[in-house]
Amino acid sequence: MPAALWQYPVYSARIIRYRRRLNRRLEALDLALRDAVQIRDEALATLGEATLAGETPTGRIAAFAETLAALDSERGSIDRRREALTIELAAAEADRRARLAEFDARLEGLEAELAPLERALDEHRKRREALDHEAEDADDLGRSLEARRAQIEQDVDADPDTRAIYAEELPGIEARLAELAVQQPDRAARRDALQGPLARLQGQVDELTALRESITARRGTWLEDVDGRIAELTAQRDDEHAALERSDQRRRAALVDLGREALHQEGGDRPGENARQALEHIVELRRQRKLLQATDAGLDTRPLVITVFGLLAVIVVALALRGC
C-alpha cells in the first residue's frame, strides 16, 4: 500500500503490469495442462493396451477386457458396413459416369445428324421463300402493267402526240405481260418441286428432334434418381464413418479407464511409470495454477480503484470547467 497519494498511480501501474504477467503465466499453464492431459491419456491408454496383452485378466480388469472386446466387435461391424457402402458408392459413381457418357454420346450423335438436315431444310425454305417473293413481285408487276394498259386504252381523248407515245409503249407492255405469263408456270413448277423434299426433311428433323427431347427427358429423370441414390449412399457412409469415430473414442476412453485401474495393480513397469509421471506432472501444474490464482486474489487493488476514481473525478472537473 503506498504511503502518499501521489504514489498511487505508480503503484497502480505496477499492479496492472504484475497482473498481466500473472495472466500470461496462467495462460501458459492452461496450455501446458491441456498438453499434459493428452500425454496422460496416451500413457494410460498405452498401459491399458499392455495390460490386455499381458496375463489372463481377472476381476475388474476382466470386465474392462470384455467391454473392449465388445467395442472391438462393434468397430469391426461398423467398419465392414462402411467398406461395403464405400464399394457400393464407388460402383454407383462409376455407373453414373458410364451411363452419362452413353446418354451424352447419343445426344451428340443426334446433334451431328440433325445439323445437316436442319441446314438443308433451311436452304429449301429460303429457296421457296425466294420463289414466293419472286411470284409476288411478278404479280405486282403484272397488275401494274395491266393497269397501265387499261389506262392507255381508256384514254380515247388523247392528242396525236400522246397517242404516238401510247403506240410505242403498248407493245412493250404486251411483251412484258407475255413474258410474265410464260415465267409463271415454270416458277410454280419449281416451287411444287420443293414441296416433297421440304416435307421429307421436315419429317426427318421432327423425328430426330422428338427423339432428342425424349432422350434428354430420360437422361434428366435417370440423373435425378442416380444422384439421389449417390447422395443417400454418401450420407450413410458418412454416418458409419462418424459411428466409427465414436466407437474409437469410446474404446480409447475404456483403455484410459483400464489404464487407471491397472495403475494400482502393476508392478512398476515402464508404461505404468509413464502414466504415474504424467499424473504427477498434472498435479504439479494444477498446484502452480492454484498458487498463481491465490496470488492474484491476494493482491491489494484498492489503490488501483482509488486511482481510477480519482482520474474520473479529474476528467469530470476538467469538463465542467471547460463548459463554464
Side-chain angles (χ1 to χ4, degrees):
M1 189 76 174
L5 287 176
W6 64 268
Q7 295 177 337
Y8 275 46
V10 176
Y11 183 81
S12 298
R14 289 176 179 173
I15 288 177
I16 291 172
R17 288 196 297 270
Y18 185 67
R19 295 191 73 178
R20 284 179 179 172
R21 289 196 296 272
L22 284 178
N23 287 332
R24 285 196 293 269
R25 291 175 64 186
L26 282 170
E27 290 174 358
L29 280 175
D30 288 339
L31 290 174
L33 269 171
R34 282 197 290 271
D35 293 340
V37 167
Q38 292 180 357
I39 293 172
R40 177 205 64 190
D41 288 348
E42 186 65 32
L44 288 173
T46 301
L47 178 56
E49 292 282 9
T51 302
L52 286 178
E55 298 178 359
T56 302
T58 58
R60 289 178 56 82
I61 301 297
F64 277 108
E66 292 177 1
T67 300
L68 286 165
L71 288 172
D72 288 340
S73 177
E74 177 190 71
R75 188 190 190 283
S77 299
I78 295 172
D79 197 37
R80 285 190 295 273
R81 290 197 302 270
R82 183 181 62 85
E83 287 296 332
L85 286 169
T86 300
I87 294 171
E88 188 176 356
L89 178 60
E93 290 175 340
D95 181 66
R96 181 188 186 277
R97 289 191 296 270
R99 291 288 303 280
L100 193 59
E102 291 178 5
F103 275 116
D104 291 342
R106 184 71 187 281
L107 289 173
E108 288 175 4
L110 286 174
E111 291 293 344
E113 193 174 350
L114 263 172
L117 292 175
E118 289 176 336
R119 285 195 299 270
L121 181 61
D122 186 59
E123 291 174 0
H124 280 69
R125 284 174 176 169
K126 288 179 179 178
R127 287 161 59 186
R128 184 179 63 181
E129 289 174 2
L131 289 172
D132 289 342
H133 291 155
E134 185 180 334
E136 290 174 2
D137 293 341
D139 291 342
D140 291 341
L141 179 58
R143 285 190 294 269
S144 176
L145 290 171
E146 289 174 354
R148 178 59 177 167
R149 183 177 63 184
Q151 180 184 6
I152 291 172
E153 290 175 349
Q154 292 172 4
D155 192 6
V156 295
D157 297 330
D159 56 69
D161 292 338
T162 301
R163 300 294 295 179
I165 293 173
Y166 287 166
E168 291 180 1
E169 186 178 353
L170 275 172
I173 292 174
E174 295 294 343
R176 189 71 181 108
L177 285 171
E179 181 181 349
L180 291 175
V182 171
Q183 291 175 351
Q184 194 276 334
D186 177 66
R187 187 166 47 248
R190 283 186 289 156
R191 191 184 186 284
D192 291 341
L194 290 174
Q195 292 303 110
L198 268 171
R200 185 178 66 258
L201 288 170
Q202 186 65 61
Q204 292 174 338
V205 168
D206 290 344
E207 181 181 355
L208 291 177
T209 301
L211 181 58
R212 179 182 61 187
E213 292 175 353
S214 174
I215 293 175
T216 301
R218 291 205 309 272
R219 178 185 184 275
T221 302
W222 168 81
L223 196 58
E224 183 178 354
D225 292 341
V226 73
D227 283 346
R229 178 57 180 163
I230 287 175
E232 180 182 352
L233 289 172
T234 301
Q236 291 176 0
R237 185 195 59 182
D238 292 343
D239 289 343
E240 294 298 338
H241 184 72
L244 192 64
E245 290 182 348
R246 290 193 298 270
S247 178
D248 288 341
Q249 291 171 359
R250 290 197 300 271
R251 187 181 190 279
R252 179 175 175 81
L255 281 173
V256 170
D257 291 340
L258 174 57
R260 292 180 192 277
E261 182 68 25
L263 191 61
H264 303 292
Q265 302 181 17
E266 58 89 34
D269 59 343
R270 189 61 182 169
E273 183 63 26
N274 290 339
R276 279 200 183 86
Q277 290 177 0
L279 288 169
E280 290 171 358
H281 183 52
I282 290 174
V283 170
E284 175 61 22
L285 290 174
R286 287 175 176 168
R287 186 188 66 79
Q288 294 178 19
R289 194 175 189 281
K290 287 182 179 179
L291 286 176
L292 288 176
Q293 289 176 329
T295 301
D296 183 57
L299 288 175
D300 187 359
T301 58
R302 286 176 298 171
L304 177 60
V305 175
I306 294 171
T307 301
V308 171
F309 278 108
L311 181 60
L312 290 174
V314 170
I315 292 173
V316 170
V317 172
L319 290 175
L321 292 174
R322 185 177 180 182
C324 293

